Amino acid sequence: MQIAEPLLVAIEELSKLPSIGKKTAQRLALYLLKSNGEQFESLVKALEDLKAKIKFCERCFNLSEEQLCIICKNEKRDKSKICIVEEASDVIAIEKTHEYSGLYHVLGGVLSPLTGVTPDSLKIKEFLKRLEKEKAKEIILALNPDTEGEATALYLSKLIKPLRIKVTRIARGLPIGGDLEFADEATIGRAILNRGDF
Amino acid sequence: MSLTSISLRNVRKHTDTEINFAGGLNYIVGGNGLGKTTILESIYYLCTTKSCCSKSDANVVKFDEDIFEINGTLEGLTKDSATVIYSVASGKKQYYLNEKQIFKASSVIGKFPVVMLSPSDHAVTQGSPAERRKFIDSVISQSSRTYLDVLLEYQKILRHRSALLMRIREGDFADSEMELEAWNQKLMSAGEQIINHRVDFLKGFNSYVAESYNKIMGKMESPGITYLYLGGTKSDNISKTFKDMLSEYKVDEIRRAANLVGPHRDDFIFEINNINLREFGSQGQHKTFQTVLRFAEFFYIKDVSGNTPIFLLDDVFGELDAQRAKKVSEYLSDIGGQAFITLTDFGNISFLKAGEKDRVIKLNEDSKIAYA
């Protein structure tokens, strides 16, 4: 292919992003080339800041700018509830509903023996330590209602039950096999309100 | 629903074949190796997007050619055209319904229900339990989407669980005990649903088997299918038995790193007057039972889905004695649907008569079509 190398590299890198194909990558690269310097610089800076400034919250492993994320730092949040989710994107999805005022714990995945994801590769030990320190009264399991998500929920409930803490699970209403992060707010909001015993 | 015409291009022996079908029984007659079964296979392709007879689509393409194409016109409530195209070079198969490309096979399955009786059915009655589970699962799946979903989930759980058992075997059990318990619970919940579904299904399906059997045998006997689940337990308390067996087999499961308990190890016993077909049946009885099962499947799907399947019968008269063959042929003219029957020689079978709605299609030496 006879294309200037820097352009080719940019297209290749862009097409590695999720839901961006070769053609979209090429359009983006050419657009960025044409755009004015200011717009280009601010995009570059935003991307650099993203990587440099965002880290994991020390307590809940949500994405954060500081040691503790905005949710863990917020005194008004209800500290008696911890909602366990798979990924930080699920925190965003639940926050959008404005139905939940408790804290979170991001596992960073779900159990999947087939692909080698064990309890040790998730933030489960960290969660149990949290339970010793914090005075949570209710743990809400908000994992995706698919095979691995449910197995992980079962596993966590077995770990928590002996500690005499209430364990609930968000109500079904989400499409089976679906992804929490892609569901609409109304569905997730109702699922949080109608959570049931587990 | 019926198939009014089909065209085959580079499908095995058929370079360019077009056939118009009758709405009743279509007898496809020709010598060995002229491509009779290929016509049934092509119909199966149109109905399911898959081959009935070959695991690889590439095997179906005519030797030295790149692309095969099957076109068909189907008439039910609406008139539909279906097309299957496969290219060896790209390794891709495309399915078109009314000129619109369909990307998921599952959106075609069930639209054109099809039932096929073929010589490979001998595995259902004579082969391993896996063959019987496959038969039962496929009949239930065609009429229940829920069952198909649970079945797929169960298979996923099995794969996870065997990976976990492998890990436990090689590592520390204490760490993984609770994880195994969580997966056990998933296994039991999906497994129980499968068992209950199969039990319920057989309650209804057994009467279809009895009816078909008595039509073909021409006398009253009591055939039936008995379901042996969880090692043949007689207990009604499936949950408890499942749980007890899991703890009983725990050590074995870890030692072998394999799933040893659950409906993926169940079996079905085919019986005639309480005599086990697999142990005591003659070749003829086996063939009869295989035929009975497909007729039962045909009528079951017809009743449950309200959509009459297309019935494909490959060499059904080959192994049956004259009397049973005659009964089968009478039964066929009674099904109220369309059937395709391959034969080596129509004239030799005295009782076969093509009625008004039927057609005899002859395949000549060069695989050319002639209507008798």
Side-chain angles (χ1 to χ4, degrees):
Chain A
M1 231 185 319
Q2 299 258 298
I3 299 176
E5 204 184 291
L7 180 59
L8 200 61
V9 172
I11 293 173
E12 285 296 324
E13 288 299 327
L14 284 168
S15 66
K16 286 179 190 166
L17 300 174
S19 67
I20 304 253
K22 272 271 154 62
K23 275 188 180 161
T24 314
Q26 185 179 322
R27 222 168 65 214
L28 289 174
L30 291 170
Y31 172 82
L32 289 170
L33 261 186
K34 273 196 204 165
S35 67
N36 64 41
E38 199 182 324
Q39 192 186 359
F40 188 78
E41 290 303 322
S42 62
L43 176 65
V44 170
K45 188 170 181 311
L47 289 175
E48 280 173 355
D49 284 357
L50 184 67
K51 199 64 191 172
K53 294 189 181 165
I54 295 287
K55 47 197 163 204
F56 291 110
C57 168
E58 281 184 352
R59 190 190 286 167
C60 75
F61 301 94
N62 186 15
L63 299 174
S64 171
E65 221 177 326
E66 296 168 43
Q67 284 186 323
L68 287 183
C69 70
I70 343 176
I71 295 169
C72 288
K73 269 199 309 198
N74 185 346
E75 284 301 320
K76 286 183 190 148
R77 302 287 301 207
D78 179 356
K79 297 197 170 43
S80 68
K81 293 187 182 72
I82 300 176
C83 178
I84 301 188
V85 294
E86 191 177 326
E87 300 290 351
S89 54
D90 298 329
V91 173
I92 299 173
I94 295 175
E95 280 301 294
K96 272 196 201 160
T97 67
H98 303 293
E99 299 287 1
Y100 181 64
S101 60
L103 302 176
Y104 290 95
H105 191 85
V106 181
L107 287 181
V110 278
L111 294 177
S112 171
L114 208 49
T115 52
V117 181
T118 66
D120 285 344
S121 38
L122 304 174
K123 303 291 180 199
I124 291 176
K125 279 204 180 96
E126 290 82 351
F127 172 67
L128 293 175
K129 280 205 186 105
R130 249 185 103 175
L131 284 186
E132 284 170 18
K133 278 190 236 156
E134 296 169 38
K135 292 198 173 77
K137 292 200 180 85
E138 181 182 353
I139 307 301
I140 303 161
L141 300 171
L143 301 167
N144 287 330
D146 55 15
T147 310
E148 295 81 5
E150 299 218 328
T152 311
L154 282 165
Y155 177 69
L156 290 170
S157 77
K158 283 178 194 299
L159 288 177
I160 304 163
K161 281 261 164 77
L163 306 173
R164 294 175 179 277
I165 299 172
K166 186 175 169 191
V167 181
T168 57
R169 177 173 70 177
I170 55 169
R172 307 255 194 143
L174 293 164
I176 300 292
D179 261 323
L180 197 62
E181 61 169 310
F182 294 124
D184 62 284
E185 282 96 323
T187 312
I188 304 174
R190 178 155 312 166
I192 289 279
L193 284 175
N194 296 345
R195 66 178 183 274
D197 280 321
F198 187 52
Chain B
M1 200 200 52
S2 65
L3 179 71
T4 51
S5 67
I6 197 170
S7 73
L8 281 57
R9 201 161 56 81
N10 295 335
V11 188
R12 297 190 192 265
K13 286 233 154 151
H14 296 271
T15 314
D16 198 357
T17 303
E18 266 188 56
I19 317 170
N20 293 312
F21 295 118
L25 309 182
N26 293 277
Y27 294 99
I28 300 164
V29 187
N32 293 327
L34 293 180
K36 301 186 295 295
T37 303
T38 305
I39 295 172
L40 301 191
E41 185 180 24
S42 302
I43 299 171
Y44 198 89
Y45 257 115
L46 289 176
C47 295
T48 65
T49 79
K50 293 186 187 76
S51 166
C52 52
C53 324
S54 172
K55 277 192 176 146
S56 153
D57 295 311
N59 294 347
V60 182
V61 183
K62 189 179 183 199
F63 187 68
D64 263 358
E65 293 286 343
D66 176 39
I67 290 173
F68 82 66
E69 181 174 340
I70 304 163
N71 277 291
T73 307
L74 295 122
E75 275 184 17
L77 284 173
T78 55
K79 192 169 169 177
D80 297 299
S81 75
T83 306
V84 181
I85 301 173
Y86 175 80
S87 154
V88 179
S90 71
K92 275 190 186 143
K93 182 165 59 179
Q94 293 171 317
Y95 188 95
Y96 294 88
L97 186 61
N98 299 320
E99 266 128 62
K100 237 166 59 190
Q101 192 175 354
I102 305 289
F103 294 96
K104 278 171 89 178
S106 59
S107 47
V108 175
I109 290 162
K111 187 170 168 62
F112 309 123
V114 61
V115 172
M116 181 166 189
L117 171 68
S118 80
S120 64
D121 275 3
H122 73 87
V124 176
T125 62
Q126 290 171 305
S128 67
E131 300 287 344
R132 283 179 285 287
R133 289 193 300 270
K134 204 168 101 191
F135 169 75
I136 298 284
D137 285 345
S138 99
V139 182
I140 310 179
S141 297
Q142 285 188 71
S143 53
S144 165
R145 179 76 212 189
T146 335
Y147 185 75
L148 182 60
D149 288 343
V150 178
L151 207 57
L152 294 174
E153 198 198 353
Y154 184 77
Q155 282 156 5
K156 198 164 156 195
I157 296 168
L158 287 180
R159 290 196 298 273
H160 275 303
R161 203 169 168 276
S162 84
L164 177 61
L165 288 166
M166 182 82 81
R167 200 174 84 213
I168 293 175
R169 183 171 72 177
E170 275 148 29
D172 186 12
F173 179 65
D175 265 3
S176 310
E177 177 150 32
M178 223 174 252
E179 197 183 350
L180 182 62
E181 272 176 33
W183 284 103
N184 281 356
Q185 216 161 317
K186 285 296 292 170
L187 184 83
M188 285 190 287
S189 115
E192 253 186 83
Q193 285 182 61
I194 291 173
I195 294 171
N196 284 326
H197 222 117
R198 286 174 178 171
V199 169
D200 282 348
F201 163 75
L202 281 180
K203 276 180 198 156
F205 190 67
N206 262 327
S207 62
Y208 286 86
V209 172
E211 192 182 331
S212 295
Y213 185 88
N214 291 324
K215 275 266 170 67
I216 289 170
M217 293 301 290
K219 58 182 173 187
M220 301 304 278
E221 283 184 294
S222 42
I225 305 174
T226 305
Y227 178 27
L228 296 185
Y229 53 91
L230 297 175
T233 175
K234 295 277 179 284
S235 159
D236 286 337
N237 193 339
I238 295 169
S239 319
K240 189 178 175 301
T241 312
F242 210 141
K243 207 171 174 182
D244 291 349
M245 281 180 77
L246 278 174
S247 43
E248 187 188 331
Y249 281 88
K250 191 163 152 184
V251 178
D252 260 1
E253 284 197 303
I254 294 169
R255 190 170 52 83
R256 293 168 57 181
N259 294 292
L260 300 178
V261 182
H264 63 291
R265 297 176 64 90
D266 289 349
D267 198 2
F268 299 86
I269 308 295
F270 300 139
E271 290 163 322
I272 302 166
N273 297 333
N274 294 323
I275 293 166
N276 187 328
L277 178 74
R278 192 156 172 244
E279 284 168 24
F280 301 106
S282 69
Q283 287 300 321
Q285 280 174 317
H286 274 281
K287 181 72 189 176
T288 307
F289 213 94
Q290 289 150 24
T291 312
V292 164
L293 287 176
R294 293 302 177 186
F295 270 94
E297 179 184 1
F298 177 88
F299 286 105
Y300 178 81
I301 290 174
K302 183 179 177 182
D303 287 354
V304 173
S305 73
N307 197 352
T308 308
I310 287 176
F311 204 172
L312 308 175
L313 300 103
D314 193 12
D315 196 25
V316 56
F317 298 120
E319 289 167 65
L320 295 177
D321 63 35
Q323 203 190 347
R324 277 177 219 190
K326 188 162 186 284
K327 290 280 184 199
V328 167
S329 118
E330 286 167 8
Y331 198 12
L332 273 173
S333 46
D334 240 25
I335 58 171
Q338 195 184 27
F340 299 83
I341 305 132
T342 63
L343 301 168
T344 45
D345 195 341
F346 190 79
N348 268 0
I349 304 176
S350 56
F351 54 80
L352 284 184
K353 281 184 213 76
E356 265 176 38
K357 283 185 167 174
D358 307 334
R359 187 168 295 176
V360 179
I361 298 153
K362 279 193 175 151
L363 273 179
N364 296 328
E365 284 305 318
D366 51 359
S367 296
K368 286 274 175 288
I369 295 292
Y371 302 102

